[in-house]
Amino acid sequence: MAEPVILIDVSDRVATITLNRPEARNALNSELRRALPQAIADLDTNPEVEVLILTGNGPAFCAGLDLKELGSGEQEPGTSPNRAPSNSGRHVDYTMDRGPFPVRSKPMIGAINGAAITGGFELALNCDFLVASPRAIFADTHARVGVMPGWGLAVLLPAVVGFRRARELSLTGNFLAADEAHRLGLVNHLVPHDELLAKARSLASDIAGNQADGVRQMLATYEAIERAQLDRGWLIEAEEGKRFRDHAGFDPAEVERRRRAIVERGRGQLDAGA
């Protein structure tokens, strides 16, 4: 039997969600793009869970959209599977108008164990805060692939690092090392690799030990303030992405060629920085 694309562990009111496609660097194929929001929606209604942790299995956190799948023409960027019911009876809208996650009431900590690239970077940015291993690296390669962000990168990244640094990262596609990400405030805590999940769970335990309704209301308050500040940005990102797709079209063969070039470029940058 095939391995599940998501692993879930619930312990002491903390749910750890692990992206489980290590052979593909946890790239987001259509199956994983369905499974992740469904898992989050179900855990959000689970009375045994107060805090979520998102991490990756293997050397990468998430390499972004599965460009091999995109390059095959199986699924175009900006499209998504149909709606499906969750175990709670709710329906999860996989179009994800505001990011890759469904609406949730519980905090999510990103435990970044390795590369978080493009769509994987967006997953990280949509977490409430991040703990990272020194092996973590971040990069926005949308412009190199020739697709536009749709999960809030152009909104959330400048909110953290400022517009000038965000422009540099997005226009160059260069890699951001974990220590620099920590210095810029993108990462809250930088810890030794073998202590990553222990640190994330310690923070999750601190949260779970608080009054649950108070935690959820505080999170909702922050999100309401963020929405008031950033809603227009989400709309602009969606409009500009659609405009680009309508103008540039979508060529699966070209996406695959660019994917190979990005992999080689990334290896070269990491080797040069070693």
Side-chain angles (χ1 to χ4, degrees):
M1 293 179 63
E3 283 283 316
V5 295
I6 295 264
L7 303 176
I8 298 173
D9 174 75
V10 177
S11 178
D12 298 324
R13 294 184 292 165
V14 176
T16 302
I17 305 168
T18 303
L19 307 178
N20 189 41
R21 297 188 69 218
E23 75 289 347
R25 300 176 65 80
N26 299 318
L28 296 160
N29 65 353
S30 55
E31 182 182 5
L32 184 49
R33 290 175 70 188
R34 285 191 297 268
L36 179 57
Q38 186 69 74
I40 292 170
D42 292 343
L43 290 167
D44 198 60
T45 60
N46 185 336
E48 301 300 317
V49 173
E50 296 296 342
V51 186
L52 313 179
I53 296 172
L54 180 64
T55 193
N57 183 20
F61 172 71
C62 177
L65 288 179
D66 189 331
L67 295 182
K68 285 186 177 179
E69 184 179 79
L70 285 178
S72 71
E74 293 179 34
Q75 188 170 336
E76 295 188 16
T79 66
S80 58
N82 293 327
R83 293 163 64 95
S86 72
N87 292 336
S88 66
R90 292 189 305 163
H91 281 73
V92 180
D93 187 351
Y94 295 119
T95 58
M96 300 303 161
D97 290 339
R98 281 206 49 168
F101 306 145
V103 174
R104 57 189 165 81
S105 63
K106 298 173 183 177
M108 178 179 290
I109 301 169
I112 314 302
N113 57 296
I117 309 301
T118 311
F121 197 176
E122 290 186 295
L123 290 188
L125 286 165
N126 277 276
C127 293
D128 292 302
F129 60 88
L130 304 180
V131 181
S133 154
R135 300 180 190 178
I137 54 172
F138 303 87
D140 175 19
T141 62
H142 281 103
R144 289 193 169 273
V145 180
V147 298
M148 292 295 103
W151 287 345
L153 185 140
V155 182
L156 300 174
L157 183 58
V160 177
V161 304
F163 275 101
R164 289 184 180 273
R165 181 57 65 98
R167 285 189 186 110
E168 178 186 337
L169 289 169
S170 294
L171 297 179
T172 64
N174 287 340
F175 284 70
L176 183 67
D179 57 349
E180 181 69 359
H182 182 238
R183 188 187 70 79
L184 291 172
L186 175 65
V187 167
N188 291 53
H189 301 275
L190 183 61
V191 298
H193 185 75
D194 59 0
E195 298 175 16
L196 176 65
L197 282 179
K199 178 64 175 179
R201 287 172 179 148
S202 174
L203 292 165
S205 179
D206 290 341
I207 296 170
N210 291 329
Q211 203 271 339
D213 288 340
V215 167
R216 294 176 195 178
Q217 185 56 55
M218 183 61 72
L219 181 63
T221 300
Y222 274 115
E223 289 181 346
I225 292 168
E226 183 182 59
R227 281 196 303 272
Q229 296 174 343
L230 302 180
D231 263 353
R232 179 58 182 161
W234 284 92
L235 179 60
I236 291 170
E237 182 185 80
E239 290 173 344
E240 292 300 322
K242 182 180 186 303
R243 182 177 293 114
F244 180 83
R245 289 192 300 274
D246 291 347
H247 171 74
F250 178 76
D251 181 351
E254 181 64 11
V255 167
E256 173 61 15
R257 184 192 69 77
R258 291 171 181 162
R259 181 194 70 82
R260 291 195 299 267
I262 289 167
V263 170
E264 291 305 316
R265 184 173 183 273
R267 287 174 181 162
Q269 280 194 335
L270 293 176
D271 291 343

